[in-house]
Amino acid sequence: MEVISSVAHMKQWSRSRLVEGKSIGFVPTMGFLHEGHLSLMRRARLENALVVVSIFVNPTQFGANEDYASYPRDPKNDLKKCQTAGVDAVLVPSAEEIYPPGAQTFVTVEKISTPLCGASRPGHFRGVATIVLKLFNIVGPTRAYFGEKDYQQLQVIRTMVRDLNVDVEIVACPTVRESDGLAMSSRNSYLSPAERRQAVCLCEALREAESLVEHGETTSQRLIQAMSSRIRREPDANIDYVRVVHPETLEDVDIVRGKALAALAVRIGRTRLIDNRILQTSLSGSWNPPA
Ligand code: AMP
Protein backbone atom coordinates (compact mmCIF):
# COMPACT_ATOMS: atom_id res chain seq x y z
CA MET A 1 0.00 0.00 0.00
CA GLU A 2 1.34 3.41 -0.97
CA VAL A 3 0.90 6.43 1.29
CA ILE A 4 0.86 9.59 -0.82
CA SER A 5 0.88 13.17 0.45
CA SER A 6 1.47 15.12 -2.75
CA VAL A 7 -1.29 15.98 -5.22
CA ALA A 8 1.09 15.66 -8.18
CA HIS A 9 2.20 12.18 -7.08
CA MET A 10 -1.41 11.04 -6.57
CA LYS A 11 -2.39 12.29 -10.03
CA GLN A 12 0.50 10.50 -11.63
CA TRP A 13 -0.18 7.27 -9.64
CA SER A 14 -3.80 7.24 -10.85
CA ARG A 15 -3.23 8.37 -14.43
CA SER A 16 -0.58 5.72 -15.07
CA ARG A 17 -2.95 2.98 -13.87
CA LEU A 18 -6.05 4.30 -15.63
CA VAL A 19 -4.23 4.24 -19.00
CA GLU A 20 -3.52 0.56 -18.35
CA GLY A 21 -7.32 0.11 -18.26
CA LYS A 22 -7.53 -0.48 -14.50
CA SER A 23 -10.62 0.75 -12.62
CA ILE A 24 -10.20 2.82 -9.45
CA GLY A 25 -12.66 2.74 -6.56
CA PHE A 26 -12.31 5.80 -4.34
CA VAL A 27 -13.37 6.30 -0.71
CA PRO A 28 -13.00 9.87 0.58
CA THR A 29 -12.88 10.12 4.40
CA MET A 30 -11.87 12.42 7.22
CA GLY A 31 -10.13 9.55 9.02
CA PHE A 32 -10.57 8.13 12.54
CA LEU A 33 -11.76 5.12 10.60
CA HIS A 34 -14.49 2.77 11.83
CA GLU A 35 -16.52 -0.12 10.40
CA GLY A 36 -18.69 2.33 8.42
CA HIS A 37 -15.65 3.54 6.48
CA LEU A 38 -14.31 -0.01 6.16
CA SER A 39 -17.60 -1.22 4.63
CA LEU A 40 -17.12 1.36 1.84
CA MET A 41 -13.54 0.17 1.27
CA ARG A 42 -14.62 -3.48 1.11
CA ARG A 43 -17.33 -2.66 -1.42
CA ALA A 44 -14.80 -0.68 -3.48
CA ARG A 45 -12.37 -3.62 -3.24
CA LEU A 46 -15.02 -5.97 -4.67
CA GLU A 47 -15.94 -3.74 -7.60
CA ASN A 48 -12.61 -2.28 -8.78
CA ALA A 49 -9.10 -3.32 -9.75
CA LEU A 50 -7.62 -0.70 -7.39
CA VAL A 51 -8.83 1.08 -4.26
CA VAL A 52 -7.77 4.59 -3.21
CA VAL A 53 -8.74 6.11 0.15
CA SER A 54 -8.24 9.74 1.10
CA ILE A 55 -7.84 10.85 4.71
CA PHE A 56 -8.23 14.60 4.99
CA VAL A 57 -10.00 16.65 7.64
CA ASN A 58 -11.32 19.32 5.32
CA PRO A 59 -11.20 22.78 6.93
CA THR A 60 -13.63 24.39 4.47
CA GLN A 61 -16.58 22.25 5.58
CA PHE A 62 -16.34 23.31 9.23
CA GLY A 63 -18.00 26.46 10.54
CA ALA A 64 -16.03 28.95 12.65
CA ASN A 65 -17.48 27.57 15.91
CA GLU A 66 -17.29 23.91 14.92
CA ASP A 67 -14.88 21.12 15.83
CA TYR A 68 -12.18 21.35 13.10
CA ALA A 69 -9.31 21.68 15.59
CA SER A 70 -10.60 18.97 17.92
CA TYR A 71 -11.87 16.53 15.26
CA PRO A 72 -10.51 13.07 16.24
CA ARG A 73 -7.38 12.01 14.39
CA ASP A 74 -5.43 8.73 14.53
CA PRO A 75 -3.34 8.48 11.34
CA LYS A 76 -1.23 5.48 12.40
CA ASN A 77 -4.21 3.28 13.18
CA ASP A 78 -6.06 4.52 10.08
CA LEU A 79 -3.23 3.36 7.82
CA LYS A 80 -3.20 -0.07 9.49
CA LYS A 81 -6.95 -0.40 8.88
CA CYS A 82 -6.57 0.61 5.23
CA GLN A 83 -3.79 -1.94 4.79
CA THR A 84 -5.97 -4.70 6.28
CA ALA A 85 -8.88 -3.69 4.02
CA GLY A 86 -6.67 -4.23 0.96
CA VAL A 87 -6.38 -0.57 -0.05
CA ASP A 88 -3.78 0.15 -2.75
CA ALA A 89 -3.09 3.83 -2.06
CA VAL A 90 -3.96 6.31 0.69
CA LEU A 91 -3.89 10.02 -0.04
CA VAL A 92 -2.97 11.99 3.10
CA PRO A 93 -2.44 15.57 1.94
CA SER A 94 -1.82 18.58 4.18
CA ALA A 95 -4.33 21.45 4.20
CA GLU A 96 -1.69 23.63 2.44
CA GLU A 97 -1.27 21.02 -0.32
CA ILE A 98 -5.03 21.02 -0.97
CA TYR A 99 -5.67 24.75 -0.47
CA PRO A 100 -2.49 26.62 -1.51
CA PRO A 101 -2.40 30.37 -0.81
CA GLY A 102 -4.65 32.18 -3.24
CA ALA A 103 -7.20 29.36 -3.62
CA GLN A 104 -10.51 31.11 -4.30
CA THR A 105 -12.71 28.71 -6.26
CA PHE A 106 -15.58 26.90 -4.53
CA VAL A 107 -18.45 24.70 -5.66
CA THR A 108 -21.98 25.59 -4.56
CA VAL A 109 -24.74 23.05 -5.16
CA GLU A 110 -27.67 25.32 -4.56
CA LYS A 111 -31.14 24.00 -3.67
CA ILE A 112 -30.30 20.57 -2.29
CA SER A 113 -27.72 22.11 0.09
CA THR A 114 -30.26 24.45 1.68
CA PRO A 115 -32.52 22.41 4.04
CA LEU A 116 -31.64 20.05 6.93
CA CYS A 117 -27.90 20.20 7.78
CA GLY A 118 -27.44 23.02 5.26
CA ALA A 119 -29.71 25.24 7.36
CA SER A 120 -27.85 24.61 10.61
CA ARG A 121 -24.35 24.49 9.08
CA PRO A 122 -24.10 27.39 6.59
CA GLY A 123 -21.27 26.80 4.11
CA HIS A 124 -20.86 23.15 5.09
CA PHE A 125 -21.95 21.63 1.77
CA ARG A 126 -19.99 24.25 -0.19
CA GLY A 127 -16.90 22.91 1.58
CA VAL A 128 -17.96 19.31 0.98
CA ALA A 129 -18.72 19.79 -2.74
CA THR A 130 -15.45 21.67 -3.26
CA ILE A 131 -13.22 19.07 -1.61
CA VAL A 132 -15.01 16.15 -3.26
CA LEU A 133 -14.69 17.69 -6.74
CA LYS A 134 -11.02 18.47 -6.09
CA LEU A 135 -10.39 14.90 -4.93
CA PHE A 136 -12.22 13.55 -7.99
CA ASN A 137 -9.95 15.70 -10.19
CA ILE A 138 -6.86 14.46 -8.36
CA VAL A 139 -7.73 10.75 -8.13
CA GLY A 140 -9.82 10.38 -11.31
CA PRO A 141 -11.85 7.50 -9.87
CA THR A 142 -14.04 5.16 -11.90
CA ARG A 143 -16.42 4.81 -8.92
CA ALA A 144 -16.68 6.71 -5.63
CA TYR A 145 -18.27 5.30 -2.47
CA PHE A 146 -20.35 7.30 0.00
CA GLY A 147 -22.36 6.31 3.07
CA GLU A 148 -26.13 6.75 3.29
CA LYS A 149 -25.59 7.89 6.87
CA ASP A 150 -24.72 11.29 5.40
CA TYR A 151 -27.76 11.20 3.13
CA GLN A 152 -27.85 14.89 2.24
CA GLN A 153 -24.13 14.83 1.43
CA LEU A 154 -24.77 11.92 -0.92
CA GLN A 155 -27.55 13.86 -2.68
CA VAL A 156 -25.39 16.99 -2.91
CA ILE A 157 -22.59 14.99 -4.54
CA ARG A 158 -24.94 13.17 -6.91
CA THR A 159 -26.37 16.54 -7.97
CA MET A 160 -22.90 18.05 -8.47
CA VAL A 161 -21.74 15.08 -10.54
CA ARG A 162 -24.85 15.30 -12.73
CA ASP A 163 -24.78 19.09 -13.11
CA LEU A 164 -21.04 19.36 -13.83
CA ASN A 165 -20.82 16.22 -16.03
CA VAL A 166 -18.23 14.62 -13.78
CA ASP A 167 -17.17 11.25 -15.13
CA VAL A 168 -17.57 9.07 -12.03
CA GLU A 169 -20.15 6.57 -10.81
CA ILE A 170 -21.46 7.39 -7.32
CA VAL A 171 -22.13 4.28 -5.22
CA ALA A 172 -24.30 4.62 -2.09
CA CYS A 173 -23.57 2.24 0.80
CA PRO A 174 -25.88 1.39 3.72
CA THR A 175 -25.34 2.83 7.20
CA VAL A 176 -23.28 0.61 9.51
CA ARG A 177 -24.54 0.62 13.12
CA GLU A 178 -23.38 -0.36 16.59
CA SER A 179 -25.20 -3.35 18.11
CA ASP A 180 -27.76 -1.07 19.82
CA GLY A 181 -28.48 0.72 16.52
CA LEU A 182 -26.40 3.90 16.93
CA ALA A 183 -25.02 4.88 13.53
CA MET A 184 -21.22 4.64 13.59
CA SER A 185 -19.51 8.01 13.43
CA SER A 186 -16.06 9.36 14.25
CA ARG A 187 -17.86 11.92 16.43
CA ASN A 188 -19.30 9.18 18.67
CA SER A 189 -15.87 9.25 20.37
CA TYR A 190 -16.84 12.62 21.90
CA LEU A 191 -19.68 11.03 23.91
CA SER A 192 -19.33 10.38 27.65
CA PRO A 193 -20.70 6.97 28.80
CA ALA A 194 -23.95 8.64 29.93
CA GLU A 195 -24.28 10.49 26.61
CA ARG A 196 -23.50 7.32 24.68
CA ARG A 197 -26.48 5.61 26.34
CA GLN A 198 -28.73 8.54 25.42
CA ALA A 199 -27.47 8.67 21.82
CA VAL A 200 -29.48 5.57 20.96
CA CYS A 201 -32.55 7.86 20.91
CA LEU A 202 -31.78 8.90 17.32
CA CYS A 203 -32.15 5.44 15.83
CA GLU A 204 -34.95 4.53 18.22
CA ALA A 205 -36.91 7.60 17.10
CA LEU A 206 -36.42 6.55 13.47
CA ARG A 207 -37.50 2.98 14.28
CA GLU A 208 -40.60 4.35 15.97
CA ALA A 209 -41.46 6.33 12.83
CA GLU A 210 -40.96 3.20 10.74
CA SER A 211 -43.21 1.18 13.01
CA LEU A 212 -45.95 3.84 12.89
CA VAL A 213 -45.74 3.86 9.09
CA GLU A 214 -46.01 0.06 9.07
CA HIS A 215 -49.21 0.44 11.10
CA GLY A 216 -50.68 2.83 8.56
CA GLU A 217 -49.62 6.29 9.74
CA THR A 218 -48.88 8.58 6.79
CA THR A 219 -49.07 12.09 8.27
CA SER A 220 -45.61 13.64 8.56
CA GLN A 221 -46.63 15.87 11.45
CA ARG A 222 -47.59 12.88 13.60
CA LEU A 223 -44.39 11.02 12.68
CA ILE A 224 -42.33 14.09 13.57
CA GLN A 225 -44.17 14.42 16.88
CA ALA A 226 -43.51 10.79 17.77
CA MET A 227 -39.82 11.03 16.88
CA SER A 228 -39.41 14.31 18.77
CA SER A 229 -41.02 13.02 21.93
CA ARG A 230 -38.79 9.92 21.91
CA ILE A 231 -35.72 12.18 21.66
CA ARG A 232 -36.97 14.58 24.37
CA ARG A 233 -37.03 11.71 26.89
CA GLU A 234 -33.23 12.03 27.09
CA PRO A 235 -32.05 14.75 29.48
CA ASP A 236 -29.01 15.81 27.40
CA ALA A 237 -30.67 15.65 23.96
CA ASN A 238 -31.45 18.85 22.05
CA ILE A 239 -33.15 18.63 18.68
CA ASP A 240 -31.59 20.50 15.78
CA TYR A 241 -34.15 19.18 13.27
CA VAL A 242 -36.58 16.28 12.85
CA ARG A 243 -38.07 16.13 9.34
CA VAL A 244 -39.89 13.92 6.89
CA VAL A 245 -38.77 14.82 3.37
CA HIS A 246 -38.85 13.74 -0.24
CA PRO A 247 -35.93 11.29 -0.68
CA GLU A 248 -34.58 13.04 -3.78
CA THR A 249 -35.37 16.74 -3.40
CA LEU A 250 -35.20 16.75 0.44
CA GLU A 251 -38.24 19.05 0.52
CA ASP A 252 -40.73 18.55 3.36
CA VAL A 253 -43.68 16.28 2.60
CA ASP A 254 -47.03 16.47 4.42
CA ILE A 255 -48.21 12.95 3.64
CA VAL A 256 -45.92 10.00 3.05
CA ARG A 257 -46.87 8.32 -0.22
CA GLY A 258 -44.56 5.50 -1.26
CA LYS A 259 -41.12 6.48 -0.01
CA ALA A 260 -40.01 9.36 2.20
CA LEU A 261 -36.90 10.06 4.24
CA ALA A 262 -37.08 10.61 7.99
CA ALA A 263 -33.99 12.67 8.85
CA LEU A 264 -32.79 14.08 12.13
CA ALA A 265 -29.93 15.95 13.78
CA VAL A 266 -29.67 15.99 17.56
CA ARG A 267 -27.14 17.39 19.97
CA ILE A 268 -26.29 15.00 22.80
CA GLY A 269 -24.53 17.32 25.19
CA ARG A 270 -22.10 19.15 22.89
CA THR A 271 -21.94 16.44 20.23
CA ARG A 272 -24.10 16.87 17.13
CA LEU A 273 -25.23 13.54 15.65
CA ILE A 274 -27.28 12.80 12.52
CA ASP A 275 -29.22 9.78 11.30
CA ASN A 276 -31.93 8.96 8.77
CA ARG A 277 -34.16 6.19 7.54
CA ILE A 278 -36.22 5.58 4.41
CA LEU A 279 -39.91 5.15 5.27
CA GLN A 280 -42.08 3.16 2.92
CA THR A 281 -45.89 3.37 3.09
CA SER A 282 -48.33 1.16 1.27
CA LEU A 283 -50.20 4.26 0.01
CA SER A 284 -50.40 3.99 -3.74
CA GLY A 285 -48.75 6.61 -5.90
CA SER A 286 -45.16 7.50 -6.21
CA TRP A 287 -43.18 9.91 -4.06
CA ASN A 288 -44.91 13.20 -3.32
CA PRO A 289 -44.19 15.57 -6.16
CA PRO A 290 -42.12 18.54 -5.07
CA ALA A 291 -44.28 21.56 -4.18
P1 AMP B 1 -16.38 10.93 7.18
O1 AMP B 1 -15.03 10.42 7.52
O2 AMP B 1 -17.29 11.09 8.37
O3 AMP B 1 -16.34 12.16 6.29
O4 AMP B 1 -17.07 9.80 6.30
C1 AMP B 1 -16.47 9.33 5.12
C2 AMP B 1 -17.46 8.45 4.38
O5 AMP B 1 -17.86 7.37 5.22
C3 AMP B 1 -18.75 9.21 4.01
O6 AMP B 1 -19.17 8.77 2.72
C4 AMP B 1 -19.71 8.77 5.07
O7 AMP B 1 -21.06 8.82 4.67
C5 AMP B 1 -19.27 7.32 5.30
N1 AMP B 1 -19.72 6.85 6.60
C6 AMP B 1 -19.52 7.46 7.79
N2 AMP B 1 -20.14 6.76 8.78
C7 AMP B 1 -20.74 5.71 8.17
C8 AMP B 1 -21.55 4.62 8.64
N3 AMP B 1 -21.86 4.48 9.92
N4 AMP B 1 -21.99 3.72 7.76
C9 AMP B 1 -21.69 3.86 6.42
N5 AMP B 1 -20.94 4.85 5.92
C10 AMP B 1 -20.46 5.77 6.78
Side-chain angles (χ1 to χ4, degrees), residues 52-53 56 95 112 152 179 198 213 236 258 272:
V52 175
V53 170
F56 180 63
I112 198 92
Q152 188 174 15
S179 56
Q198 296 177 53
V213 162
D236 299 315
R272 186 176 176 280

Side-chain angles (χ1 to χ4, degrees), residues 209 213 216-221 223 244-245 247 253-262 278-288:
V213 162
E217 183 58 75
T218 57
T219 308
S220 294
Q221 211 44 52
L223 296 170
V244 177
V245 299
V253 296
D254 295 332
I255 301 289
V256 180
R257 287 178 210 284
K259 280 186 188 169
L261 182 83
I278 291 283
L279 305 174
Q280 172 101 48
T281 66
S282 51
L283 266 193
S284 60
S286 61
W287 296 340
N288 288 26

